[in-house]
């Protein structure tokens, strides 16, 4: 999640006040956007995002998908299935995707706090509704705590 946010931060620029037409990188105002240094950083961050973030999530999704077909899943992939009920073997992937979505909410609208907050609220409400209705944890108190903590 931090890797995804860092990789995407190189695309976040802000406009300088008039009459200056330039834009700077939000993370480092000394770097002007749409210049050679910025383009190089953007290329590197795009490769990092593609290789690390997408590959890790794809591998995690694949392990989650094959988990039900393994006879000894509780020993081989216990980190995926340990705390969730058996029918919710995919719950850990839901948590990872929720965390990624929450971390990326400010990235989608860096200059607009309202939009970033709204995206974060919608992500939290969607996960809270999922946790409240399906109760994926083995312990019902964990499901209740997860729901209340999310909302």
């Amino acid at each position: 999640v931090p890797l995804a946010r860092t990789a995407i931060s190189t695309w976040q620029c802000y406009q300088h006040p008039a009459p200056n037409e330039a834009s700077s990188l939000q993370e480092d105002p000394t770097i002007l956007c749409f210049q050679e240094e910025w383009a190089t950083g953007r290329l590197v961050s795009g490769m990092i995002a593609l290789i690390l973030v997408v590959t890790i999530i794809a591998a995690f999704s694949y392990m989650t998908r094959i988990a039900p077909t393994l006879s000894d899943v509780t020993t081989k992939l216990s980190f995926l299935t340990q705390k969730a009920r058996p029918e919710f073997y995919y719950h850990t992937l839901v948590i990872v995707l929720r965390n990624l979505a929450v971390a990326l909410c400010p990235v989608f609208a860096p200059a607009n706090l309202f939009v970033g907050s709204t995206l974060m609220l919608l992500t939290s409400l969607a996960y809270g509704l999922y946790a409240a209705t399906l109760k994926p944890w083995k312990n019902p108190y964990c499901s209740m705590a997860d729901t209340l903590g999310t909302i």
Side-chain angles (χ1 to χ4, degrees):
V1 174
L3 287 172
R5 188 164 183 192
T6 301
I8 291 176
S9 70
T10 57
W11 291 315
Q12 293 179 323
C13 296
Y14 70 92
Q15 188 73 33
H16 290 185
N20 193 347
E21 299 284 325
S23 298
S24 287
L25 192 61
Q26 193 165 355
E27 293 283 323
D28 186 1
T30 62
I31 298 175
L32 293 175
C33 294
F34 311 106
Q35 301 296 322
E36 186 177 339
E37 185 180 6
W38 175 77
T40 304
R42 200 169 137 194
L43 176 67
V44 170
S45 71
M47 290 183 347
I48 289 171
L50 185 64
I51 293 170
L52 294 177
V53 177
V54 173
T55 305
I56 289 169
I57 294 209
F60 201 77
S61 299
Y62 175 73
M63 287 188 294
T64 302
R65 189 177 66 79
I66 67 165
T69 63
L70 300 174
S71 59
D72 53 351
V73 69
T74 55
T75 56
K76 286 187 177 178
L77 298 175
S78 63
F79 68 95
L80 288 174
T81 60
Q82 195 172 33
K83 296 180 177 142
R85 294 188 300 165
E87 62 270 23
F88 292 101
Y89 64 90
Y90 56 85
H91 182 62
T92 306
L93 180 62
V94 171
I95 292 172
V96 168
L97 293 175
R98 180 215 45 201
N99 292 346
L100 181 64
V102 166
L104 294 180
C105 282
V107 172
F108 293 122
N112 193 335
L113 184 61
F114 177 75
V115 173
S117 299
T118 302
L119 289 172
M120 196 171 295
L121 176 67
L122 291 174
T123 302
S124 295
L125 286 175
Y127 178 78
L129 183 64
Y130 158 80
T133 55
L134 299 178
K135 298 175 180 56
W137 299 104
K138 285 181 182 176
N139 186 329
Y141 294 113
C142 288
S143 291
M144 185 179 5
D146 191 22
T147 302
L148 293 174
T150 299
I151 297 173

